[in-house]
Amino acid sequence: MVAKKNDNSSGIIGILDLQGGVHEHLDHLHRLGIAGRKVKQAADFDNLAGLIIPGGESSCIFRLLNIFEIKNPLLAACRQGMKIWGTCAGAILLAKKVVGENACLGLIDIEVERNSFGSQLDSFKSEARIPEVDADSIPLTFIRAPKILNAGSTVKVLLKIGDYIAAAENDNILVTIFHPELTASTAFHRYFAAKCKVSCRINTESRADEGWNYCSWTRHARIA
Amino acid sequence: MDATRHELNIQLAQMLKGGVIMDVTNVEQAKIAEEAGAVAVMALERVPADIRKQGGVARMSDPAMIAEIKKAVSIPVMAKARIGHFAEAQLLEALRIDYIDESEVLTPADEECHIDKTKFSIPFVCGARNLGEALRRIAEGAAMIRTKGEAGTGNVVEAVRHMRTMNREIRELIRMPVEEVTGFAKTNGLPYELALKVRELGRLPVVNFAAGGIATPADAALMMQLGCDGIFVGSGIFKSANPGVRARAIVKATAYFNDPQKVLEASMGLGEAMPGLEISQIPPEQRLAGRGW
Protein backbone atom coordinates (compact mmCIF):
# COMPACT_ATOMS: atom_id res chain seq x y z
CA MET A 1 0.00 0.00 0.00
CA VAL A 2 1.30 3.44 -0.91
CA ALA A 3 1.23 5.74 2.05
CA LYS A 4 -0.62 8.90 1.15
CA LYS A 5 0.62 12.15 2.48
CA ASN A 6 -1.83 13.14 5.14
CA ASP A 7 -3.05 16.71 5.30
CA ASN A 8 -3.92 17.19 8.95
CA SER A 9 -4.97 20.79 8.41
CA SER A 10 -8.29 19.69 6.91
CA GLY A 11 -10.16 20.70 10.05
CA ILE A 12 -12.11 17.44 9.94
CA ILE A 13 -12.44 15.12 12.91
CA GLY A 14 -13.51 11.56 12.18
CA ILE A 15 -15.54 9.21 14.36
CA LEU A 16 -14.87 5.51 14.03
CA ASP A 17 -18.25 4.17 12.92
CA LEU A 18 -18.13 0.43 13.56
CA GLN A 19 -20.36 0.21 16.63
CA GLY A 20 -21.38 2.35 19.59
CA GLY A 21 -21.96 6.02 20.38
CA VAL A 22 -21.19 7.59 17.02
CA HIS A 23 -24.14 10.01 16.75
CA GLU A 24 -23.47 11.42 20.21
CA HIS A 25 -19.92 12.53 19.31
CA LEU A 26 -21.05 13.82 15.93
CA ASP A 27 -23.64 15.95 17.71
CA HIS A 28 -21.06 17.49 20.06
CA LEU A 29 -18.73 18.29 17.16
CA HIS A 30 -21.61 20.02 15.35
CA ARG A 31 -22.30 22.09 18.45
CA LEU A 32 -18.76 23.44 18.18
CA GLY A 33 -19.03 24.03 14.42
CA ILE A 34 -16.49 21.30 13.65
CA ALA A 35 -16.86 19.15 10.54
CA GLY A 36 -17.28 15.53 11.63
CA ARG A 37 -16.96 12.47 9.41
CA LYS A 38 -18.07 8.90 10.07
CA VAL A 39 -15.12 6.60 9.43
CA LYS A 40 -16.00 3.18 8.14
CA GLN A 41 -13.66 2.43 5.22
CA ALA A 42 -9.91 2.76 4.76
CA ALA A 43 -10.39 5.78 2.46
CA ASP A 44 -12.29 7.65 5.18
CA PHE A 45 -9.00 8.20 7.05
CA ASP A 46 -7.69 10.55 4.36
CA ASN A 47 -6.86 13.99 5.67
CA LEU A 48 -8.27 13.62 9.14
CA ALA A 49 -6.91 15.97 11.77
CA GLY A 50 -8.25 13.72 14.48
CA LEU A 51 -10.24 10.57 15.13
CA ILE A 52 -12.62 9.73 17.97
CA ILE A 53 -13.04 6.08 18.92
CA PRO A 54 -16.43 6.09 20.65
CA GLY A 55 -17.86 4.11 23.51
CA GLY A 56 -19.50 0.81 22.70
CA GLU A 57 -18.35 -2.74 23.36
CA SER A 58 -14.58 -2.89 22.96
CA SER A 59 -14.63 -6.63 22.13
CA CYS A 60 -17.02 -5.97 19.23
CA ILE A 61 -15.09 -2.98 17.85
CA PHE A 62 -11.83 -4.95 18.30
CA ARG A 63 -13.20 -7.71 16.05
CA LEU A 64 -14.52 -5.36 13.39
CA LEU A 65 -11.26 -3.37 13.31
CA ASN A 66 -9.41 -6.55 12.45
CA ILE A 67 -11.74 -8.25 10.01
CA PHE A 68 -12.22 -5.24 7.81
CA GLU A 69 -8.59 -4.20 7.90
CA ILE A 70 -9.34 -0.77 9.25
CA LYS A 71 -6.59 -1.19 11.82
CA ASN A 72 -3.63 -0.64 9.46
CA PRO A 73 -4.96 2.52 7.78
CA LEU A 74 -5.78 3.82 11.27
CA LEU A 75 -2.25 3.18 12.51
CA ALA A 76 -0.78 4.68 9.31
CA ALA A 77 -2.87 7.85 9.68
CA CYS A 78 -1.79 8.08 13.31
CA ARG A 79 1.88 7.89 12.31
CA GLN A 80 1.26 10.76 9.92
CA GLY A 81 -0.03 13.01 12.66
CA MET A 82 -3.72 12.18 13.12
CA LYS A 83 -4.59 12.55 16.83
CA ILE A 84 -6.89 10.02 18.46
CA TRP A 85 -9.29 10.28 21.38
CA GLY A 86 -10.85 7.15 22.86
CA THR A 87 -13.85 7.32 25.20
CA CYS A 88 -14.62 4.26 27.36
CA ALA A 89 -14.33 1.33 24.91
CA GLY A 90 -12.14 3.58 22.76
CA ALA A 91 -9.72 4.00 25.67
CA ILE A 92 -9.50 0.21 26.03
CA LEU A 93 -8.69 -0.18 22.33
CA LEU A 94 -5.92 2.45 22.53
CA ALA A 95 -4.25 1.00 25.64
CA LYS A 96 -0.92 -0.82 25.60
CA LYS A 97 -2.10 -3.33 28.21
CA VAL A 98 -5.54 -4.78 28.95
CA VAL A 99 -5.94 -6.97 32.04
CA GLY A 100 -6.49 -10.59 30.97
CA GLU A 101 -6.80 -9.80 27.26
CA ASN A 102 -4.79 -8.89 24.20
CA ALA A 103 -4.24 -5.21 23.57
CA CYS A 104 -5.57 -3.81 20.29
CA LEU A 105 -3.85 -0.61 19.10
CA GLY A 106 -1.31 -0.12 21.91
CA LEU A 107 -0.86 3.60 21.23
CA ILE A 108 -0.73 4.85 24.81
CA ASP A 109 1.24 3.37 27.69
CA ILE A 110 -1.58 2.64 30.11
CA GLU A 111 -2.98 -0.53 31.63
CA VAL A 112 -6.78 -0.80 31.68
CA GLU A 113 -9.25 -3.20 33.18
CA ARG A 114 -12.51 -3.69 31.28
CA ASN A 115 -15.86 -3.23 32.99
CA SER A 116 -14.09 -2.48 36.22
CA PHE A 117 -16.95 -1.03 38.30
CA GLY A 118 -19.47 -3.88 38.03
CA SER A 119 -22.87 -4.12 36.37
CA GLN A 120 -25.11 -1.40 34.93
CA LEU A 121 -26.40 -0.80 38.48
CA ASP A 122 -22.91 0.51 39.28
CA SER A 123 -22.89 3.04 36.41
CA PHE A 124 -22.91 6.61 37.74
CA LYS A 125 -22.52 10.34 37.13
CA SER A 126 -20.24 12.71 38.99
CA GLU A 127 -18.15 15.78 38.22
CA ALA A 128 -14.58 16.96 38.57
CA ARG A 129 -12.27 19.92 38.03
CA ILE A 130 -9.68 19.34 35.34
CA PRO A 131 -7.80 22.65 35.04
CA GLU A 132 -6.03 21.65 31.79
CA VAL A 133 -9.39 21.07 30.09
CA ASP A 134 -11.74 23.69 31.51
CA ALA A 135 -11.89 26.33 34.21
CA ASP A 136 -15.25 25.03 35.42
CA SER A 137 -16.14 21.68 36.86
CA ILE A 138 -16.89 19.04 34.16
CA PRO A 139 -19.80 16.56 34.39
CA LEU A 140 -18.68 12.92 34.08
CA THR A 141 -20.78 9.92 32.99
CA PHE A 142 -19.43 6.42 33.68
CA ILE A 143 -21.27 3.52 31.99
CA ARG A 144 -19.94 0.04 32.75
CA ALA A 145 -16.64 1.85 32.61
CA PRO A 146 -13.11 0.49 32.54
CA LYS A 147 -10.44 1.74 34.93
CA ILE A 148 -6.97 2.91 33.99
CA LEU A 149 -4.86 1.16 36.62
CA ASN A 150 -1.51 2.77 35.85
CA ALA A 151 0.30 4.87 33.28
CA GLY A 152 3.89 5.00 31.99
CA SER A 153 6.26 7.96 32.10
CA THR A 154 5.27 9.17 28.60
CA VAL A 155 1.70 9.66 29.76
CA LYS A 156 0.28 12.75 31.43
CA VAL A 157 -2.51 12.05 33.89
CA LEU A 158 -5.36 14.57 33.55
CA LEU A 159 -7.70 13.15 36.18
CA LYS A 160 -7.17 10.69 38.99
CA ILE A 161 -10.04 9.55 41.20
CA GLY A 162 -9.16 7.41 44.22
CA ASP A 163 -7.00 4.50 43.05
CA TYR A 164 -7.64 4.83 39.32
CA ILE A 165 -6.93 7.22 36.46
CA ALA A 166 -9.97 8.52 34.59
CA ALA A 167 -8.38 10.72 31.90
CA ALA A 168 -4.86 10.81 30.45
CA GLU A 169 -2.93 11.76 27.32
CA ASN A 170 0.34 11.58 25.49
CA ASP A 171 1.42 13.71 22.53
CA ASN A 172 -0.97 12.04 20.09
CA ILE A 173 -3.55 10.19 22.13
CA LEU A 174 -6.25 11.24 24.59
CA VAL A 175 -8.19 8.73 26.68
CA THR A 176 -11.20 9.15 28.97
CA ILE A 177 -12.99 6.28 30.69
CA PHE A 178 -16.13 8.43 30.98
CA HIS A 179 -18.42 9.81 28.25
CA PRO A 180 -18.29 13.60 27.69
CA GLU A 181 -20.55 13.07 24.64
CA LEU A 182 -23.34 11.93 26.98
CA THR A 183 -23.34 15.22 28.91
CA ALA A 184 -24.14 18.84 28.07
CA SER A 185 -20.46 19.77 28.33
CA THR A 186 -18.40 20.24 25.18
CA ALA A 187 -15.22 20.98 27.15
CA PHE A 188 -13.44 17.75 26.22
CA HIS A 189 -14.41 18.06 22.54
CA ARG A 190 -12.94 21.58 22.55
CA TYR A 191 -9.84 20.25 24.28
CA PHE A 192 -9.41 17.47 21.71
CA ALA A 193 -10.04 19.89 18.83
CA ALA A 194 -7.22 22.09 20.16
CA LYS A 195 -4.96 19.02 20.34
CA CYS A 196 -5.77 18.39 16.65
CA LYS A 197 -5.25 22.10 15.85
CA VAL A 198 -8.83 22.30 14.63
CA SER A 199 -10.60 25.55 15.41
CA CYS A 200 -14.16 25.61 16.70
CA ARG A 201 -16.32 27.83 14.52
CA ILE A 202 -18.85 28.13 17.30
CA ASN A 203 -17.28 29.22 20.55
CA THR A 204 -19.29 28.17 23.53
CA GLU A 205 -17.82 29.85 26.56
CA SER A 206 -20.18 28.26 29.03
CA ARG A 207 -19.31 24.78 30.23
CA ALA A 208 -22.76 23.43 29.46
CA ASP A 209 -24.62 23.77 26.20
CA GLU A 210 -28.15 24.52 27.35
CA GLY A 211 -29.57 23.28 24.06
CA TRP A 212 -28.36 19.76 24.83
CA ASN A 213 -30.48 17.01 26.33
CA TYR A 214 -30.18 13.24 26.39
CA CYS A 215 -32.23 12.95 23.18
CA SER A 216 -30.00 15.32 21.19
CA TRP A 217 -28.22 12.47 19.39
CA THR A 218 -31.50 11.41 17.78
CA ARG A 219 -31.35 14.24 15.24
CA HIS A 220 -28.63 12.23 13.50
CA ALA A 221 -30.79 9.10 13.42
CA ARG A 222 -34.26 10.25 12.42
CA ILE A 223 -36.74 7.88 10.81
CA ALA A 224 -38.65 10.75 9.25
CA MET B 1 -36.00 5.42 39.82
CA ASP B 2 -34.48 8.89 39.70
CA ALA B 3 -34.00 10.79 36.45
CA THR B 4 -30.21 10.33 36.50
CA ARG B 5 -30.51 6.55 36.75
CA HIS B 6 -33.08 6.46 33.95
CA GLU B 7 -30.82 8.58 31.74
CA LEU B 8 -27.85 6.26 32.43
CA ASN B 9 -30.02 3.29 31.46
CA ILE B 10 -31.12 4.87 28.19
CA GLN B 11 -27.48 5.78 27.51
CA LEU B 12 -26.25 2.21 28.03
CA ALA B 13 -28.64 1.15 25.26
CA GLN B 14 -27.17 3.92 23.07
CA MET B 15 -23.73 2.37 23.51
CA LEU B 16 -25.12 -0.89 22.06
CA LYS B 17 -26.14 0.81 18.80
CA GLY B 18 -24.95 -0.90 15.63
CA GLY B 19 -24.40 -4.11 17.56
CA VAL B 20 -25.87 -7.59 17.87
CA ILE B 21 -27.35 -9.06 21.07
CA MET B 22 -27.36 -12.85 21.06
CA ASP B 23 -29.45 -15.45 22.91
CA VAL B 24 -27.25 -17.95 24.76
CA THR B 25 -28.19 -20.91 26.96
CA ASN B 26 -24.84 -21.77 28.59
CA VAL B 27 -21.33 -20.53 29.31
CA GLU B 28 -19.86 -22.07 26.18
CA GLN B 29 -22.36 -20.30 23.92
CA ALA B 30 -21.86 -17.03 25.82
CA LYS B 31 -18.13 -17.22 25.12
CA ILE B 32 -18.71 -17.96 21.44
CA ALA B 33 -21.04 -14.95 21.25
CA GLU B 34 -18.57 -12.63 22.98
CA GLU B 35 -15.71 -13.84 20.83
CA ALA B 36 -17.82 -13.27 17.70
CA GLY B 37 -18.35 -9.62 18.66
CA ALA B 38 -21.78 -9.62 20.34
CA VAL B 39 -22.43 -6.36 22.24
CA ALA B 40 -24.47 -8.24 24.86
CA VAL B 41 -25.89 -11.69 25.54
CA MET B 42 -29.39 -12.70 26.53
CA ALA B 43 -29.11 -15.54 29.04
CA LEU B 44 -31.99 -18.03 28.90
CA GLU B 45 -32.58 -21.76 29.38
CA ARG B 46 -34.28 -22.40 26.08
CA VAL B 47 -34.10 -20.35 22.89
CA PRO B 48 -37.51 -19.33 21.50
CA ALA B 49 -37.49 -22.10 18.85
CA ASP B 50 -37.34 -24.71 21.64
CA ILE B 51 -39.90 -22.93 23.81
CA ARG B 52 -42.21 -23.00 20.80
CA LYS B 53 -41.57 -26.69 20.16
CA GLN B 54 -41.82 -27.88 23.76
CA GLY B 55 -44.79 -25.74 24.78
CA GLY B 56 -45.87 -25.49 28.42
CA VAL B 57 -45.27 -22.47 30.65
CA ALA B 58 -42.00 -20.64 29.92
CA ARG B 59 -40.64 -18.85 32.98
CA MET B 60 -37.60 -16.82 34.00
CA SER B 61 -34.42 -18.93 33.69
CA ASP B 62 -32.60 -20.54 36.61
CA PRO B 63 -30.72 -17.66 38.30
CA ALA B 64 -27.72 -19.95 38.90
CA MET B 65 -27.36 -20.42 35.16
CA ILE B 66 -27.66 -16.66 34.54
CA ALA B 67 -25.06 -16.01 37.25
CA GLU B 68 -22.63 -18.45 35.60
CA ILE B 69 -22.97 -16.68 32.27
CA LYS B 70 -22.52 -13.31 33.97
CA LYS B 71 -19.26 -14.57 35.43
CA ALA B 72 -18.02 -15.94 32.10
CA VAL B 73 -18.26 -12.78 29.96
CA SER B 74 -17.38 -9.09 30.32
CA ILE B 75 -20.06 -7.80 27.91
CA PRO B 76 -23.51 -6.84 29.29
CA VAL B 77 -25.81 -9.70 30.30
CA MET B 78 -29.56 -9.49 29.80
CA ALA B 79 -32.23 -11.93 30.96
CA LYS B 80 -35.96 -12.28 30.44
CA ALA B 81 -38.81 -11.83 32.92
CA ARG B 82 -42.42 -12.70 32.11
CA ILE B 83 -44.71 -9.83 31.12
CA GLY B 84 -46.12 -8.38 34.35
CA HIS B 85 -44.02 -10.62 36.61
CA PHE B 86 -42.43 -7.91 38.74
CA ALA B 87 -41.15 -10.44 41.29
CA GLU B 88 -39.06 -12.19 38.60
CA ALA B 89 -37.76 -8.74 37.67
CA GLN B 90 -36.88 -8.08 41.33
CA LEU B 91 -34.81 -11.29 41.37
CA LEU B 92 -32.99 -10.31 38.20
CA GLU B 93 -32.25 -6.89 39.69
CA ALA B 94 -30.96 -8.54 42.88
CA LEU B 95 -28.78 -10.74 40.66
CA ARG B 96 -27.29 -7.48 39.29
CA ILE B 97 -27.46 -8.35 35.63
CA ASP B 98 -27.32 -5.41 33.21
CA TYR B 99 -30.72 -5.36 31.47
CA ILE B 100 -34.11 -7.07 31.83
CA ASP B 101 -36.18 -8.04 28.80
CA GLU B 102 -39.87 -8.05 29.76
CA SER B 103 -40.59 -10.59 27.08
CA GLU B 104 -43.54 -12.09 25.24
CA VAL B 105 -41.33 -15.11 24.53
CA LEU B 106 -42.07 -16.23 28.10
CA THR B 107 -45.64 -17.02 29.16
CA PRO B 108 -47.23 -13.78 30.43
CA ALA B 109 -47.85 -13.64 34.18
CA ASP B 110 -50.35 -10.79 33.95
CA GLU B 111 -52.77 -10.18 31.11
CA GLU B 112 -53.70 -6.68 32.26
CA CYS B 113 -50.54 -5.02 33.53
CA HIS B 114 -46.97 -4.82 32.34
CA ILE B 115 -44.30 -4.28 34.99
CA ASP B 116 -44.10 -0.77 36.47
CA LYS B 117 -40.51 -0.32 35.39
CA THR B 118 -40.15 3.10 37.02
CA LYS B 119 -39.87 1.30 40.37
CA PHE B 120 -36.59 -0.36 39.34
CA SER B 121 -33.02 0.89 39.08
CA ILE B 122 -32.14 -1.74 36.48
CA PRO B 123 -33.01 -0.96 32.85
CA PHE B 124 -35.72 -2.74 30.84
CA VAL B 125 -36.13 -3.48 27.14
CA CYS B 126 -39.64 -4.27 25.89
CA GLY B 127 -41.14 -5.52 22.63
CA ALA B 128 -43.52 -3.51 20.45
CA ARG B 129 -45.50 -4.07 17.27
CA ASN B 130 -46.39 -0.44 16.68
CA LEU B 131 -45.79 3.08 17.93
CA GLY B 132 -48.54 2.98 20.57
CA GLU B 133 -47.14 -0.17 22.13
CA ALA B 134 -43.61 1.26 22.12
CA LEU B 135 -44.68 4.52 23.78
CA ARG B 136 -46.80 2.76 26.40
CA ARG B 137 -43.76 0.71 27.40
CA ILE B 138 -41.60 3.87 27.49
CA ALA B 139 -44.24 5.55 29.67
CA GLU B 140 -43.96 2.56 32.04
CA GLY B 141 -40.21 3.16 32.24
CA ALA B 142 -38.63 1.04 29.48
CA ALA B 143 -35.18 2.41 28.50
CA MET B 144 -35.00 0.53 25.19
CA ILE B 145 -37.49 -0.88 22.66
CA ARG B 146 -37.30 -3.77 20.23
CA THR B 147 -39.70 -5.05 17.62
CA LYS B 148 -41.52 -8.20 18.70
CA GLY B 149 -41.25 -9.96 15.39
CA GLU B 150 -42.24 -13.61 15.75
CA ALA B 151 -39.55 -15.22 17.90
CA GLY B 152 -38.28 -18.71 17.19
CA THR B 153 -39.47 -18.83 13.59
CA GLY B 154 -36.38 -17.78 11.63
CA ASN B 155 -38.91 -15.76 9.63
CA VAL B 156 -38.24 -12.02 9.51
CA VAL B 157 -41.64 -11.02 8.10
CA GLU B 158 -43.20 -10.00 11.43
CA ALA B 159 -40.21 -7.91 12.51
CA VAL B 160 -40.43 -6.11 9.16
CA ARG B 161 -44.17 -5.56 9.65
CA HIS B 162 -43.60 -4.10 13.13
CA MET B 163 -40.80 -1.78 12.04
CA ARG B 164 -42.70 -0.60 8.96
CA THR B 165 -45.80 0.03 11.07
CA MET B 166 -43.83 2.09 13.57
CA ASN B 167 -42.11 4.11 10.83
CA ARG B 168 -45.41 4.76 9.04
CA GLU B 169 -47.02 6.00 12.25
CA ILE B 170 -44.04 8.27 13.01
CA ARG B 171 -44.26 9.77 9.50
CA GLU B 172 -48.01 10.36 9.91
CA LEU B 173 -47.45 12.01 13.27
CA ILE B 174 -44.84 14.36 11.85
CA ARG B 175 -47.02 15.47 8.95
CA MET B 176 -50.21 16.19 10.88
CA PRO B 177 -51.08 19.58 12.34
CA VAL B 178 -50.59 19.61 16.09
CA GLU B 179 -54.31 19.83 16.87
CA GLU B 180 -54.78 16.40 15.25
CA VAL B 181 -52.27 14.74 17.56
CA THR B 182 -54.79 14.39 20.39
CA GLY B 183 -57.15 12.35 18.22
CA PHE B 184 -54.31 10.29 16.71
CA ALA B 185 -53.00 9.59 20.21
CA LYS B 186 -56.45 8.52 21.39
CA THR B 187 -57.11 6.24 18.42
CA ASN B 188 -53.70 4.58 18.54
CA GLY B 189 -53.25 4.47 22.31
CA LEU B 190 -50.26 6.84 22.41
CA PRO B 191 -49.40 8.67 25.65
CA TYR B 192 -49.92 12.29 24.48
CA GLU B 193 -46.69 13.85 25.82
CA LEU B 194 -44.61 11.10 24.26
CA ALA B 195 -46.49 11.48 20.97
CA LEU B 196 -45.40 15.13 20.90
CA LYS B 197 -41.85 14.08 21.69
CA VAL B 198 -41.77 11.60 18.78
CA ARG B 199 -43.24 14.28 16.52
CA GLU B 200 -40.39 16.61 17.48
CA LEU B 201 -37.61 14.00 17.24
CA GLY B 202 -38.80 12.13 14.15
CA ARG B 203 -38.15 8.81 15.89
CA LEU B 204 -38.47 7.08 19.26
CA PRO B 205 -36.70 8.92 22.08
CA VAL B 206 -34.85 5.69 22.99
CA VAL B 207 -32.91 3.08 21.04
CA ASN B 208 -35.02 0.66 18.98
CA PHE B 209 -33.58 -2.75 18.04
CA ALA B 210 -34.94 -5.40 15.67
CA ALA B 211 -35.92 -8.75 17.18
CA GLY B 212 -37.91 -11.81 16.28
CA GLY B 213 -37.05 -14.03 13.31
CA ILE B 214 -33.64 -12.66 12.26
CA ALA B 215 -31.59 -15.59 10.92
CA THR B 216 -29.17 -14.35 8.25
CA PRO B 217 -26.73 -11.46 7.65
CA ALA B 218 -29.15 -10.16 4.99
CA ASP B 219 -32.00 -10.18 7.55
CA ALA B 220 -29.85 -8.01 9.83
CA ALA B 221 -28.96 -5.63 6.96
CA LEU B 222 -32.66 -5.40 6.03
CA MET B 223 -33.74 -4.42 9.54
CA MET B 224 -30.90 -1.91 9.93
CA GLN B 225 -31.83 -0.28 6.62
CA LEU B 226 -35.43 0.00 7.83
CA GLY B 227 -34.05 2.21 10.61
CA CYS B 228 -33.40 -0.15 13.53
CA ASP B 229 -30.51 0.83 15.80
CA GLY B 230 -29.22 -2.73 16.29
CA ILE B 231 -30.18 -6.39 16.22
CA PHE B 232 -31.29 -9.17 18.57
CA VAL B 233 -30.71 -12.70 17.30
CA GLY B 234 -32.48 -15.38 19.29
CA SER B 235 -32.63 -18.88 17.89
CA GLY B 236 -30.96 -17.79 14.63
CA ILE B 237 -27.38 -18.41 15.78
CA PHE B 238 -27.32 -21.49 18.00
CA LYS B 239 -30.01 -23.31 15.97
CA SER B 240 -27.89 -22.95 12.82
CA ALA B 241 -25.31 -25.43 11.52
CA ASN B 242 -22.27 -23.33 12.39
CA PRO B 243 -23.01 -20.89 15.24
CA GLY B 244 -19.61 -19.18 15.60
CA VAL B 245 -19.29 -18.45 11.90
CA ARG B 246 -22.89 -17.25 11.60
CA ALA B 247 -22.55 -15.05 14.71
CA ARG B 248 -19.49 -13.31 13.26
CA ALA B 249 -21.23 -12.88 9.90
CA ILE B 250 -24.29 -11.22 11.46
CA VAL B 251 -22.02 -8.88 13.48
CA LYS B 252 -20.26 -7.83 10.25
CA ALA B 253 -23.50 -7.39 8.33
CA THR B 254 -24.99 -5.26 11.13
CA ALA B 255 -21.97 -2.94 11.19
CA TYR B 256 -21.84 -2.65 7.38
CA PHE B 257 -25.60 -2.91 6.73
CA ASN B 258 -25.57 -0.35 3.92
CA ASP B 259 -22.63 -1.90 2.08
CA PRO B 260 -23.98 -4.82 -0.03
CA GLN B 261 -20.47 -5.96 -0.99
CA LYS B 262 -19.51 -6.44 2.66
CA VAL B 263 -22.83 -8.10 3.54
CA LEU B 264 -22.26 -10.41 0.57
CA GLU B 265 -18.78 -11.34 1.83
CA ALA B 266 -20.26 -11.99 5.26
CA SER B 267 -22.95 -14.25 3.76
CA MET B 268 -20.59 -16.68 2.01
CA GLY B 269 -20.32 -20.28 3.18
CA LEU B 270 -22.21 -20.08 6.45
CA GLY B 271 -23.79 -23.53 6.23
CA GLU B 272 -27.47 -24.15 6.99
CA ALA B 273 -29.52 -21.42 8.60
CA MET B 274 -32.01 -22.44 11.29
CA PRO B 275 -35.11 -24.19 9.95
CA GLY B 276 -37.81 -21.61 9.25
CA LEU B 277 -41.51 -21.49 10.07
CA GLU B 278 -44.23 -19.99 7.89
CA ILE B 279 -46.33 -17.66 10.09
CA SER B 280 -49.64 -18.89 8.62
CA GLN B 281 -48.73 -22.41 9.78
CA ILE B 282 -48.66 -21.26 13.42
CA PRO B 283 -52.08 -21.38 15.11
CA PRO B 284 -52.99 -17.83 16.25
CA GLU B 285 -52.96 -18.80 19.95
CA GLN B 286 -49.33 -19.94 19.57
CA ARG B 287 -48.13 -16.65 18.09
CA LEU B 288 -45.97 -14.86 20.63
CA ALA B 289 -46.25 -11.31 19.29
CA GLY B 290 -49.89 -11.12 20.39
CA ARG B 291 -48.88 -11.41 24.04
CA GLY B 292 -48.91 -8.10 25.88
CA TRP B 293 -50.67 -5.05 24.48
Side-chain angles (χ1 to χ4, degrees):
Chain A
M1 195 171 68
V2 184
K4 286 182 200 140
K5 193 177 175 313
N6 219 35
D7 175 12
N8 301 119
S9 62
S10 66
I12 301 170
I13 292 180
I15 304 160
L16 190 66
D17 182 18
L18 296 177
Q19 191 274 317
V22 178
H23 301 116
E24 292 79 356
H25 277 294
L26 198 59
D27 195 59
H28 265 42
L29 292 179
H30 283 194
R31 276 167 205 284
L32 294 172
I34 295 170
R37 178 199 292 162
K38 292 186 186 176
V39 174
K40 214 160 185 164
Q41 317 276 355
D44 297 336
F45 287 100
D46 290 351
N47 302 328
L48 287 183
L51 177 76
I52 297 173
I53 305 183
E57 279 306 317
S58 60
S59 49
C60 173
I61 302 173
F62 187 127
R63 251 213 94 69
L64 290 167
L65 266 175
N66 284 314
I67 47 181
F68 283 126
E69 292 163 14
I70 298 295
K71 196 172 162 180
N72 289 333
L74 186 154
L75 291 169
C78 182
R79 279 193 298 273
Q80 288 168 22
M82 179 185 77
K83 311 291 184 193
I84 311 180
W85 171 23
T87 54
C88 196
I92 298 169
L93 294 164
L94 288 165
K96 199 164 245 173
K97 278 193 224 137
V98 183
V99 174
E101 291 175 38
N102 294 326
C104 182
L105 299 168
L107 290 170
I108 182 165
D109 187 10
I110 55 172
E111 182 179 22
V112 297
E113 181 175 63
R114 289 187 60 196
N115 188 27
S116 195
F117 291 85
S119 80
Q120 172 61 6
L121 291 164
D122 303 299
S123 293
F124 63 99
K125 291 177 194 268
S126 67
E127 55 176 59
R129 292 267 335 266
I130 309 173
E132 289 89 340
V133 177
D134 203 56
D136 291 317
S137 179
I138 299 172
L140 310 173
T141 293
F142 296 78
I143 296 182
R144 296 183 87 260
K147 279 181 187 170
I148 301 172
L149 303 178
N150 52 65
S153 58
T154 53
V155 176
K156 181 181 175 191
V157 173
L158 293 169
L159 176 64
K160 191 161 191 218
I161 306 172
D163 61 348
Y164 63 91
I165 297 162
E169 66 178 342
N170 65 20
D171 288 345
N172 299 315
I173 309 293
L174 172 67
V175 286
T176 58
I177 61 171
F178 47 85
H179 293 273
E181 78 284 9
L182 299 180
T183 73
S185 169
T186 51
F188 261 95
H189 290 77
R190 267 185 279 134
Y191 184 72
F192 181 60
K195 196 177 176 78
C196 302
K197 300 194 171 58
V198 169
S199 52
C200 304
R201 278 188 289 114
I202 302 167
N203 222 337
T204 49
E205 287 299 326
S206 66
R207 75 178 184 122
D209 182 337
E210 281 163 10
W212 184 91
N213 67 58
Y214 73 93
C215 290
S216 291
W217 68 274
T218 60
R219 68 184 167 130
H220 303 281
R222 290 174 69 102
I223 294 292
Chain B
M1 178 177 14
D2 62 44
T4 299
R5 180 57 50 192
H6 190 50
E7 201 172 296
L8 281 166
N9 288 342
I10 290 172
Q11 290 175 329
L12 171 60
Q14 284 168 233
M15 292 304 114
L16 305 178
K17 290 200 306 280
V20 182
I21 300 168
M22 303 181 191
D23 277 7
V24 298
T25 59
N26 57 45
V27 167
E28 189 201 347
Q29 289 183 358
K31 287 189 167 156
I32 292 172
E34 183 176 46
E35 200 276 326
V39 292
V41 289
M42 177 76 69
L44 71 180
E45 276 165 339
R46 295 180 287 168
V47 294
D50 289 333
I51 291 174
R52 189 176 284 290
K53 216 180 290 167
Q54 293 160 13
V57 174
R59 310 179 182 93
M60 181 187 88
S61 297
D62 176 1
M65 166 267 186
I66 299 170
E68 262 177 49
I69 288 175
K70 182 172 175 263
K71 217 160 54 183
V73 296
S74 64
I75 55 178
V77 174
M78 303 183 167
K80 292 182 194 289
R82 284 180 260 179
I83 289 174
H85 206 316
F86 54 85
E88 282 186 350
Q90 288 164 356
L91 300 195
L92 292 173
E93 184 173 62
L95 193 56
R96 302 184 78 78
I97 57 162
D98 297 291
Y99 240 96
I100 296 175
D101 182 8
E102 185 183 17
S103 178
E104 68 283 359
V105 166
L106 305 183
T107 311
D110 190 326
E111 293 184 338
E112 285 170 31
C113 304
H114 285 252
I115 297 169
D116 174 6
K117 293 164 275 288
T118 62
K119 287 213 179 77
F120 290 78
S121 293
I122 195 168
F124 283 81
V125 55
C126 290
R129 288 164 295 178
N130 51 50
L131 186 59
E133 206 169 5
L135 296 189
R136 289 192 292 278
R137 298 295 85 77
I138 293 170
E140 292 161 356
M144 177 180 184
I145 295 296
R146 56 170 175 77
T147 62
K148 284 182 166 172
E150 189 58 35
T153 59
N155 187 342
V156 79
V157 67
E158 293 301 307
V160 168
R161 190 191 319 282
H162 300 160
M163 195 56 195
R164 281 210 183 271
T165 303
M166 236 182 275
N167 289 352
R168 191 176 307 121
E169 289 170 337
I170 291 169
R171 283 195 299 269
E172 273 177 59
L173 199 51
I174 281 172
R175 277 197 303 264
M176 68 181 58
V178 72
E179 65 270 24
E180 290 179 15
V181 175
T182 322
F184 184 83
K186 182 179 180 224
T187 310
N188 295 288
L190 274 54
Y192 181 69
E193 296 300 323
L194 282 170
L196 290 181
K197 186 92 185 155
V198 168
R199 192 165 178 275
E200 173 201 331
L201 299 178
R203 57 160 289 141
L204 294 185
V206 300
V207 161
N208 182 18
F209 271 43
I214 291 130
T216 69
D219 287 349
L222 172 69
M223 296 310 299
M224 292 297 287
Q225 286 185 50
L226 285 174
C228 290
D229 298 308
I231 302 287
F232 280 90
V233 188
S235 320
I237 289 170
F238 290 100
K239 284 286 161 190
S240 74
N242 203 341
V245 175
R246 183 163 294 265
R248 284 194 287 279
I250 295 178
V251 168
K252 287 186 219 175
T254 301
Y256 283 86
F257 66 91
N258 49 12
D259 184 338
Q261 193 60 43
K262 289 225 162 67
V263 179
L264 173 66
E265 287 163 23
S267 304
M268 299 277 192
L270 300 182
E272 288 258 346
M274 71 176 281
L277 253 181
E278 175 62 54
I279 304 296
S280 62
Q281 304 299 308
I282 309 170
E285 68 277 10
Q286 286 176 27
R287 294 181 199 166
L288 305 176
R291 295 168 165 183
W293 48 274

